[in-house]
Amino acid sequence: ILTTTGFVFVSYLGLTEPASVAEEVKNPEKNIPRGMFLSLLVTTLIYVGGVFIMVAVIPHTDFLANRTPVWTAGSTIFQLYPKQIVEILLVGAAIAAFETTGNGGLMSASRYPMAMARDRVLPSFFTHVGKFKTPNYSIIATSVLMVVLIVTLNVEVIAKMAGAFKFIIFILINFAVIVMRNSRIESYDPGFHSPFFPWIQVFGIVSSLIIIVYLVWIPILFSVGIFLLALLWYWNYSRVHVKREGAIYHWFALLGQKQH
């Protein structure tokens, strides 16, 4: 179960996309949490319902060897309709799903280089915004990187690499929430507070580490390689251009006030 969780987790990565486009969302403090919870509910219902139908329609002996269970289940259910219409509906639904997923992923992913360039962690040309008010160079760079990975790697490896890398990001995000809330910085006043703090964050960190262990070595090594590359980039570029104090310093200062 844990191995499969790490493999299919990439299907839920779209849940975090609203956070990366926060500055383009109206009333983000309310709408981003609403969007994430609603999308989690809707996608879970669709995924569970779809798998339930496939398991109910396709014999388990055939399911194990079936490479296109959605197609098989759809063809079985819509037997009363002409075969060509059923094929058009299934293919059209698949194309629409891929288009929306790719568009949403590209939109959110391209905002990271732009935000990092604003913080001078990346070169400033990533902040360039075109006539449609979109980060042109950031979108191009993100698209090229995606195409290279899709062409050079198979789907299973990409899914596991994306899952492992996202688990590492979630570990860092959960740790950042703990640090930010314990630092008690006056300017840090989010509109949405995570309930059951810090136990939700601790659970997120521990569960992510457990699932990473159950993944194969390729995605783990890839994530470690990205992490080391990021450290090299920080040491040789970002450290020179960025001078700031982290929130963890404020936490240490508060802890230092407790003499005993």
Side-chain angles (χ1 to χ4, degrees):
I1 290 174
L2 291 173
T3 304
T4 306
T5 300
F7 177 65
V8 303
F9 190 74
V10 67
S11 302
Y12 287 90
L13 298 188
L15 298 175
T16 60
E17 289 176 3
S20 60
V21 293
E23 67 175 284
E24 301 172 54
V25 177
K26 293 181 179 178
N27 196 5
E29 291 184 342
K30 290 184 177 179
N31 288 330
I32 288 179
R34 285 175 182 172
M36 295 180 74
F37 284 126
L38 283 173
S39 60
L40 178 61
L41 175 64
V42 172
T43 52
T44 300
L45 289 175
I46 292 174
Y47 290 164
V48 173
V51 172
F52 178 82
I53 291 171
M54 287 186 285
V55 171
V57 171
I58 306 173
H60 70 276
T61 52
D62 298 335
F63 204 165
L64 292 173
N66 198 315
R67 303 293 292 180
T68 56
V70 177
W71 176 275
T72 304
S75 302
T76 305
I77 292 172
F78 297 109
Q79 285 181 348
L80 298 176
Y81 297 91
K83 184 178 179 181
Q84 290 182 341
I85 295 178
V86 174
E87 291 176 351
I88 292 173
L89 288 174
L90 291 173
V91 172
I95 292 174
F98 283 125
E99 284 183 346
T100 53
T101 302
N103 187 45
L106 182 59
M107 180 181 70
S108 62
S110 63
R111 269 52 178 179
Y112 289 107
M114 181 178 67
M116 294 170 71
R118 286 175 177 171
D119 289 343
R120 290 187 271 181
V121 177
L122 288 178
S124 59
F125 65 83
F126 283 113
T127 60
H128 179 268
V129 177
K131 65 178 181 178
F132 297 108
K133 297 182 180 180
T134 53
N136 295 345
Y137 298 128
S138 184
I139 291 174
I140 293 171
T142 308
S143 302
V144 170
L145 180 60
M146 286 183 175
V147 170
V148 170
L149 290 175
I150 291 170
V151 171
T152 56
L153 300 173
N154 65 55
V155 177
E156 183 176 349
V157 173
I158 292 175
K160 290 182 178 180
M161 285 167 50
F165 189 62
K166 202 66 177 183
F167 281 124
I168 292 175
I169 293 175
F170 282 164
I171 291 171
L172 297 174
I173 290 174
N174 280 300
F175 181 67
V177 172
I178 295 174
V179 172
M180 293 297 289
R181 287 186 64 165
N182 283 324
S183 64
R184 299 177 189 172
I185 302 173
E186 292 183 3
S187 59
Y188 180 68
D189 185 24
F192 175 82
H193 291 273
S194 174
F196 307 111
F197 176 84
W199 302 114
I200 291 291
Q201 286 69 38
V202 172
F203 173 77
I205 293 172
V206 173
S207 59
S208 297
L209 284 171
I210 292 173
I211 295 175
I212 287 176
V213 171
Y214 277 86
L215 292 173
V216 295
W217 281 106
I218 293 177
I220 296 175
L221 291 175
F222 171 78
S223 302
V224 171
I226 293 292
F227 186 75
L228 293 175
L229 183 64
L231 284 177
L232 287 173
W233 181 267
Y234 169 78
W235 188 260
N236 292 296
Y237 182 88
S238 304
R239 187 173 57 92
V240 180
H241 295 85
V242 180
K243 301 291 181 183
R244 63 178 170 210
E245 193 177 79
I248 200 166
Y249 285 103
H250 297 271
W251 188 11
F252 288 158
L254 292 173
L255 291 173
Q257 294 174 6
K258 301 176 182 180
Q259 298 180 21
H260 305 295

